[in-house]
Amino acid sequence: MNITKENVDALNAILKVDIVAEDYKDKVTEVLNDYRKKANIPGFRKGNVPMGMVRKQYGKSVMIDEVNKLLQEGLNKFLVEEKLDILGNPLPVVKDDFSWDTDKFSFEFELGLAPEFDVDVKGKNKITEYKIVATDDLIDKEVENIQNRYGKLITLEEGEEHANVTGTFVNEEEGINKKSTFLVNDLKGKKNEKKFIGAKVGDVIELETKKLFEEDYKLSQALGVTKEVADELDEKVTFTIEEISKTEPADLDQELFGKLFPDGSVTTVTELKEKIKQDAEGQFQQQADQQLLNAVTEHFIENTKFELPAEFLQKWLQTAGEQELSEDEAKEEYTKSEKGLRYQLIEGKIMKDNDIKLEYAELLDYTKGFIKAQMAQFGNMNPEEEELNNIAGRVLSNKDEAQRLQSQLISQKLLSFFKENMEFKTKEVSYEDFIKEVYK
């Protein structure tokens, strides 16, 4: 077997594979001898069927199988030995005059070659690294939420601005009959709020569904209808008040601190606020890191220029999936996936140039940490090492799950590398301002 490569250009090549009878005839004979030993043909004892009959019946199909095996093995070996960095898979070139009725075969395959390029990691950039801080207002609101969660519910004689009201919404024509509870100040507009302030148990209040709540999603919950129905609903409903109550906030005392932190790590309001600040900023950091990684990704895609073998990749996409795509469908798919492909190549180049590797032991430890965190949520704080190893092994045996965890760990490694080697413009913002700037 002889394999040669001819470069069409920097991104495309043709592989030519020539196979002659000497390459496959011994293997074909071996397979046919095995067939002869096992063949059950009327008129002949098992193992005594004439080879000529076996060859006539099975020879061509066996030869085709062996040539295809030889072809695949030869291609894979050539690509590895020549260290060819290809995109997609080799595409066979269809020859109209090809025939299996010969003992010499010539095959051709199109290759899409990965481009050569450099990535400027330490060059100038305008990427912002956000430091999200927990503001005093956010901390005070969380303290208030804690006090309300651990507070005491007291019954009121009449409605007021921050009261909880329980009752039943009714509209017979729309089939609405739903008991609900909501805060008076969740209602949209002073007009609606005034209807409940001073109202008492047994009062029947008429309301318009349109813009009834400050948050639109609360209407579907209150009326017991789907979001789609709630969005289109513009009807009058009655609400019969059955109960009025109010949460009396818990005192910020040792009893509350003990409930929140049984280990005694928080004993004062100052310590509570510091704990809230740390937890909030820890969560914010995850979002800031993801935003930074996204920004760096976009930076490299925009500033790392190279060509791709687009025509080859579109042709390859036509047959790469479970369902064959038309030429137009493949072009559309390529357009959608080109950006992701470019970053895959850039990411691979950065990892290769900077010796960033992912060992299986690292992936196993990362998976075990992920499992341990999940188990802690269900009260298992100290699982046995053997148990963690067994669960992690099962998780990583799932190809999709292993790929997902591997991708997460690679992103963490790259993020650490970027932080150590790239210069960013640092900006300190509140969470609200971060959302406005990043997701505007």
Side-chain angles (χ1 to χ4, degrees), residues 253-264:
D253 55 18
Q254 294 305 315
E255 181 181 354
L256 177 61
F257 300 148
K259 291 177 181 177
L260 294 170
F261 305 97
D263 60 356

Side-chain angles (χ1 to χ4, degrees), residues 106 201 236 355 371 400:
S106 182
V201 172
K236 289 182 178 181
D355 198 30
I371 294 167
D400 291 338

Side-chain angles (χ1 to χ4, degrees), residues 32 36 41 48-59:
L32 291 177
R36 182 169 179 254
I41 297 179
N48 288 293
V49 179
M51 176 57 83
M53 183 177 290
V54 174
R55 189 174 294 277
K56 183 177 181 180
Q57 187 168 353
Y58 301 108

Side-chain angles (χ1 to χ4, degrees), residues 228-291:
E228 291 73 22
V229 170
D231 288 344
E232 298 297 324
L233 201 61
D234 188 5
E235 300 289 339
K236 289 182 178 181
V237 291
T238 59
F239 182 82
T240 304
I241 300 176
E242 300 170 19
E243 184 181 341
I244 306 171
S245 62
K246 182 179 179 180
T247 301
E248 187 176 86
D251 291 330
L252 295 171
D253 55 18
Q254 294 305 315
E255 181 181 354
L256 177 61
F257 300 148
K259 291 177 181 177
L260 294 170
F261 305 97
D263 60 356
S265 59
V266 172
T267 58
T268 66
V269 174
T270 300
E271 290 175 349
L272 173 62
K273 290 186 175 183
E274 184 58 34
K275 177 66 174 173
I276 291 171
K277 180 179 175 65
Q278 290 175 1
D279 290 347
E281 290 182 353
Q283 294 177 21
F284 295 158
Q285 187 62 49
Q286 295 177 26
Q287 288 183 263
D289 282 346
Q290 186 59 57
Q291 186 279 331

Side-chain angles (χ1 to χ4, degrees), residues 61-103:
S61 63
V62 170
M63 181 269 289
I64 291 173
D65 284 346
E66 293 307 317
V67 168
N68 279 323
K69 288 179 185 177
L70 186 64
L71 181 62
Q72 191 61 53
E73 290 170 2
L75 277 175
N76 291 338
K77 185 178 179 182
F78 183 85
L79 293 174
V80 172
E81 290 180 348
E82 295 296 316
K83 297 179 181 179
L84 292 179
D85 194 1
I86 66 171
L87 302 178
N89 293 314
L91 288 178
V93 177
V94 178
K95 295 182 177 180
D96 294 333
D97 60 348
F98 180 83
S99 172
W100 288 105
D101 296 324
T102 181
D103 58 359

Side-chain angles (χ1 to χ4, degrees), residues 404-434:
R404 184 182 70 82
L405 292 168
Q406 179 177 305
S407 179
Q408 288 180 0
L409 186 51
I410 287 174
S411 291
Q412 286 188 10
K413 281 177 164 279
L414 285 169
L415 183 62
S416 296
F417 172 79
F418 295 147
K419 285 185 174 184
E420 291 172 6
N421 293 274
M422 298 178 70
E423 292 185 9
F424 304 116
K425 181 177 69 175
T426 304
K427 188 172 184 179
E428 191 172 286
V429 294
S430 67
Y431 183 70
E432 291 77 10
D433 288 340
F434 172 77

Side-chain angles (χ1 to χ4, degrees), residues 5 12 61 67 117 134 143 164 170 241 248 251 255 258 312 353:
K5 178 173 76 75
N12 295 274
S61 63
V67 168
F117 59 92
V143 170
N164 298 299
V170 174
I241 300 176
E248 187 176 86
D251 291 330
E255 181 181 354
F312 168 84
D353 288 351

